[in-house]
Amino acid sequence: DAGVTQSPTHLIKTRGQQVTLRCSPKSGHDTVSWYQQALGQGPQFIFQYYEEEERQRGNFPDRFSGHQFPNYSSELNVNALLLGDSALYLCASSSLGLAGGGAYNEQFFGPGTRLTVL
Amino acid sequence: GIQVEQSPPDLILQEGANSTLRCNFSDSVNNLQWFHQNPWGQLINLFYIPSGTKQNGRLSATTVATERYSLLYISSSQTTDSGVYFCAVVGYSTLTFGKGTMLLVSP
């Protein structure tokens, strides 16, 4: 059973560029959440996707956008990159369930994408 | 939003020692998870424990939801236990993380 996968593992960009990160959820999961982890900090919630729609959003600017595909995989896009966007980007998957109560279900994380903005 | 505080922030142990990590949260929660982050950044699930007590080998966890805290116990620590331990809670639908406890186990 494949776990959560993310690509690429590392990425180096320059200020002002745009980046796309990808995530495939664990088999059987339908919900994908994205987190940003700065050095020495805990992960911060960016947004969550379910049924191809953004369901929840954290305190991140509109430069951060996402998408979920019919196969439940997801992309995180960041436009107009800033030096402060350098971080580890983590994707987590879970099973929301038909009743929606699955919002409380266990989340599983991918290995992350380490983004460096120069 | 929910505030999550972890203590201690740093912990240094000799191999074989026991330790207790604490997680306090500011409001009632629907989910609580403990993670171990390895040096490569991978978050490894340790426990999904919104309430009660669970054990997995040398690790165990207890969450007292009514008093808004959770404890992670590590017994007979090994060098491979080194890393950052995170507590994360769900109030409504998303995980809110603490700042973590950095554990170093020396041989």
Side-chain angles (χ1 to χ4, degrees), chain B residues 6-24:
Chain B
Q6 291 187 243
S7 60
D10 302 283
L11 188 57
I12 299 175
L13 300 174
Q14 286 279 344
E15 201 167 25
N18 303 328
S19 61
T20 301
L21 281 58
R22 188 177 179 99
C23 172
N24 292 332

Side-chain angles (χ1 to χ4, degrees), chain A:
Chain A
D1 178 24
V4 181
T5 61
Q6 291 186 243
S7 63
T9 54
H10 294 84
L11 206 50
I12 298 175
K13 292 284 188 178
T14 56
R15 280 179 297 173
Q17 285 190 311
Q18 177 263 344
V19 68
T20 297
L21 311 181
R22 295 176 176 82
C23 171
S24 290
K26 188 176 168 67
S27 177
H29 286 181
D30 54 15
T31 302
V32 172
S33 303
W34 287 92
Y35 295 81
Q36 180 196 66
Q37 186 178 19
L39 201 60
Q41 301 294 317
Q44 299 284 320
F45 173 71
I46 302 175
F47 42 54
Q48 183 182 75
Y49 276 85
Y50 171 68
E51 291 189 332
E52 302 180 48
E53 291 192 0
E54 185 181 288
R55 188 171 176 269
Q56 290 281 321
R57 188 179 183 92
N59 189 24
F60 279 80
D62 292 344
R63 299 185 299 108
F64 289 77
S65 63
H67 188 76
Q68 186 179 34
F69 299 93
N71 67 353
Y72 308 119
S73 67
S74 177
E75 289 182 348
L76 164 65
N77 301 293
V78 187
N79 294 323
L81 284 167
L82 304 174
L83 295 179
D85 294 332
S86 294
L88 179 67
Y89 288 84
L90 295 162
C91 165
S93 76
S94 58
S95 177
L96 189 64
L98 291 175
Y104 314 136
N105 286 346
E106 189 173 6
Q107 293 195 27
F108 294 83
F109 282 79
T113 294
R114 195 166 296 278
L115 172 65
T116 302
V117 182
L118 302 176

